């Protein structure tokens, strides 16, 4: 079903998905504007009497911010030479693409929420999920990646030349955006799916010896 409202290809109408598409799904990947969309569609941690986990992709906060700045056809730029913090942080906020609405700590009341390293989504994370999900009866010969953003011109991003500004921006993101705060709390803990298996083993051995 093509999303005729937006004219985009490969998009299924949300009404169609909500009516027909979830009952036989082992895995649902969905990018929403509002965190409430998850409990609204799937209730609490058990959907159709099946326990659910919510997996949140995490990446370096500054890299993620700059990817959002380049989301539109004409990239937005941080005001690295702003005369006040308010002026600078407004340029940070102007780059946000659904950053504030997509995650809320209340999701942790509904689901067992875990995180994974965005850069490992097609390696370690995929290997992890392959052990849990059924194989498709018909597999495509090739996968064609469809980029949604234009290639970034990292050399034009002024923030990388200002280490103090990087740290100030990272603190602002962690303090003011729940998604970044969650990733900071989750990555490197037992809740991270892509964590180094040796670290997990050390935790298990430590608990056993303790």
């Amino acid at each position: 079903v093509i999303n005729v409202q937006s004219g985009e290809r490969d998009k299924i109408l949300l009404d169609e998905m909500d009516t027909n598409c979830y009952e036989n799904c082992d895995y649902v990947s969905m990018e929403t504007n509002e965190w409430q969309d998850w409990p609204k569609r799937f209730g609490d941690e058990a959907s159709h009497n099946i326990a659910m986990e919510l997996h949140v992709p995490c990446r370096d906060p500054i890299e993620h911010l700059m990817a959002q700045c380049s989301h539109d056809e004409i990239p937005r730029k941080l005001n690295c030479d702003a005369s006040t913090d308010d002026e600078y942080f407004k340029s940070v906020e102007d780059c946000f693409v659904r950053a504030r609405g997509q995650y809320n700590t209340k999701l942790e009341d509904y689901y067992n929420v875990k995180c994974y390293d965005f850069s490992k989504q097609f390696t370690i994370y995929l290997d992890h999920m392959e052990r849990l999900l059924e194989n498709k009866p018909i597999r495509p010969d090739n996968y064609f990646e469809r980029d949604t953003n234009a290639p970034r011109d990292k050399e034009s991003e002024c923030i990388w030349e200002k280490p103090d500004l990087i740290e100030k921006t990272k603190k602002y993101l962690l303090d003011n955006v729940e998604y970044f705060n969650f990733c900071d709390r989750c990555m490197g803990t037992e809740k991270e799916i892509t964590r180094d298996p040796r670290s997990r083993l050390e935790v298990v051995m430590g608990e056993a010896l303790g």
Side-chain angles (χ1 to χ4, degrees):
V1 180
I2 303 299
N3 189 339
V4 293
Q5 293 174 326
S6 68
E8 295 183 58
R9 61 179 180 174
D10 300 336
K11 293 291 183 71
I12 299 175
L13 290 168
L14 281 177
D15 289 345
E16 290 287 338
M17 292 172 65
D18 291 341
T19 304
N20 302 309
C21 290
Y22 301 127
E23 284 76 4
N24 197 36
C25 290
D26 294 326
Y27 186 93
V28 176
S29 177
M30 182 169 63
E31 185 173 15
T32 70
N33 291 330
E34 301 294 338
W35 69 268
Q36 296 96 328
D37 288 341
W38 286 101
K40 182 177 74 174
R41 289 185 168 85
F42 302 105
D44 56 19
E45 64 180 10
S47 180
H48 301 289
N49 298 314
I50 299 173
M52 291 185 62
E53 289 184 351
L54 186 62
H55 296 175
V56 179
C58 294
R59 61 195 293 189
D60 175 80
I62 305 301
E63 285 285 354
H64 196 169
L65 173 65
M66 299 315 300
Q68 292 181 76
C69 288
S70 68
H71 183 267
D72 292 337
E73 185 174 348
I74 301 177
R76 288 158 286 182
K77 294 185 180 295
L78 297 182
N79 187 357
C80 295
D81 297 319
S83 56
T84 66
D85 282 352
D86 286 346
E87 187 179 348
Y88 171 70
F89 289 131
K90 181 182 183 305
S91 72
V92 171
E93 295 273 349
D94 287 345
C95 279
F96 286 169
V97 180
R98 302 186 295 270
R100 289 197 178 279
Q102 288 187 312
Y103 190 85
N104 189 290
T105 53
K106 291 180 181 178
L107 283 167
E108 297 164 48
D109 296 332
Y110 289 94
Y111 307 110
N112 180 16
V113 185
K114 296 184 177 182
C115 59
Y116 65 91
D117 186 335
F118 172 82
S119 69
K120 300 175 182 176
Q121 63 179 329
F122 295 122
T123 53
I124 296 175
Y125 179 71
L126 197 61
D127 291 342
H128 171 79
M129 295 309 301
E130 188 175 26
R131 295 194 295 270
L132 302 177
L133 302 177
E134 295 180 11
N135 288 326
K136 286 183 176 182
I138 301 175
R139 291 194 170 202
D141 294 330
N142 296 296
Y143 170 75
F144 298 98
E145 185 175 352
R146 298 178 176 89
D147 293 328
T148 56
N149 290 17
R152 279 171 55 194
D153 179 10
K154 196 167 181 175
E155 292 185 0
S156 70
E157 296 170 355
C158 57
I159 192 170
W160 303 115
E161 299 176 358
K162 300 176 180 288
D164 291 346
L165 194 59
I166 289 175
E167 291 306 312
K168 183 165 69 172
T169 306
K170 185 176 295 186
K171 184 178 186 307
Y172 180 84
L173 295 175
L174 297 184
D175 290 346
N176 292 278
V177 182
E178 293 198 46
Y179 162 74
F180 292 116
N181 182 272
F182 165 76
C183 286
D184 186 61
R185 289 186 288 112
C186 180
M187 294 295 288
T189 73
E190 67 280 0
K191 288 281 191 177
E192 181 194 340
I193 297 168
T194 49
R195 188 183 179 201
D196 187 334
R198 290 171 296 181
S199 299
R200 298 179 192 167
L201 181 60
E202 289 169 4
V203 170
V204 172
M205 290 179 65
E207 292 175 348
L209 293 173

